[in-house]
Amino acid sequence: MIQFHDNHGAHVQLSEDKTSVCRNKSFANAVLFTRQPLSIQETFIFEITEQEVGWSGHVRCGITAHNPSKTRVPPYLLPDLAQMGKTWVFAVKPNPAKPLGDEQIRDDGSHNYQLLVGEKENNPIFCGEKARENPCLLPTDVGSRIGMKVTRSGDLYFYVNGRKFGPCASSLPVGSHLYAAVDIYGTTKAIKIIQSGGKT
């Protein structure tokens, strides 16, 4: 079972099973990592479970090669962790057609961000109940599910409410341990891990 790492931002409170997390104050210092590295082709999925009005911006997420056991957790994924290198992250935007912001930062490789036509994942785990009931659900709304996966060739793909986007980055170091990283930023207040059931 995928869990969040105990080394996390100061304003984060983990559930007992370390699969749900809430930011308990402010809008920052809520960076999280997965406890274990992701397997190649494994999809990490989380769902937004709570929002907080009064802030701007939304959850940020991606992949990092920094081991959370050996990393000093920065206040933000963007730009802090991204500037440390070996990190590929995006800010999630309330736009279903282009849900990932342009702030993606990478060490190298190419960027070919697009919606893959015909690539809607029918697995209900990728698209939660609220998104199935409301096709107009925004990527930043409560109930939205966001997933990420690195392929054997080192391409990074995202799933947003069942729709596949990418490759969003390429040439990720598949020979290294890669962890999912999430920043519960701005209006996003709480998330939970949704088990993908293994590799897809």
Side-chain angles (χ1 to χ4, degrees), residues 17-67:
D17 66 1
K18 300 180 184 178
T19 61
S20 297
V21 60
C22 181
R23 189 186 70 235
N24 51 29
K25 64 179 178 177
S26 181
F27 63 93
N29 290 298
V31 171
L32 301 144
F33 305 95
T34 50
R35 184 172 64 85
Q36 57 271 77
L38 302 180
S39 301
I40 299 304
Q41 294 288 122
E42 179 180 15
T43 307
F44 170 77
I45 303 170
F46 68 89
E47 182 175 306
I48 298 171
T49 57
E50 189 177 347
Q51 289 179 317
E52 184 175 19
V53 297
W55 304 112
S56 60
H58 310 279
V59 67
R60 296 160 175 195
C61 56
I63 299 292
T64 184
H66 291 285
N67 184 334

Side-chain angles (χ1 to χ4, degrees), residues 1-6 14-21 35 191-193 195:
M1 177 171 69
I2 298 176
Q3 297 174 307
F4 287 118
H5 201 281
D6 286 324
L14 288 177
S15 62
E16 188 173 336
D17 66 1
K18 300 180 184 178
T19 61
S20 297
V21 60
R35 184 172 64 85
I191 64 171
K192 67 179 178 181
I193 295 174
Q195 285 302 120

Side-chain angles (χ1 to χ4, degrees), residues 113-131:
Y113 173 74
Q114 59 184 314
L115 170 64
L116 297 180
V117 178
E119 291 280 354
K120 183 153 174 97
E121 176 57 62
N122 291 321
N123 185 335
I125 291 174
F126 285 68
C127 188
E129 183 177 344
K130 287 194 175 184

Side-chain angles (χ1 to χ4, degrees), residues 73-86:
V73 181
Y76 307 101
L77 277 188
L78 285 167
D80 300 346
L81 188 69
Q83 288 178 343
M84 293 166 58
K86 300 180 183 177

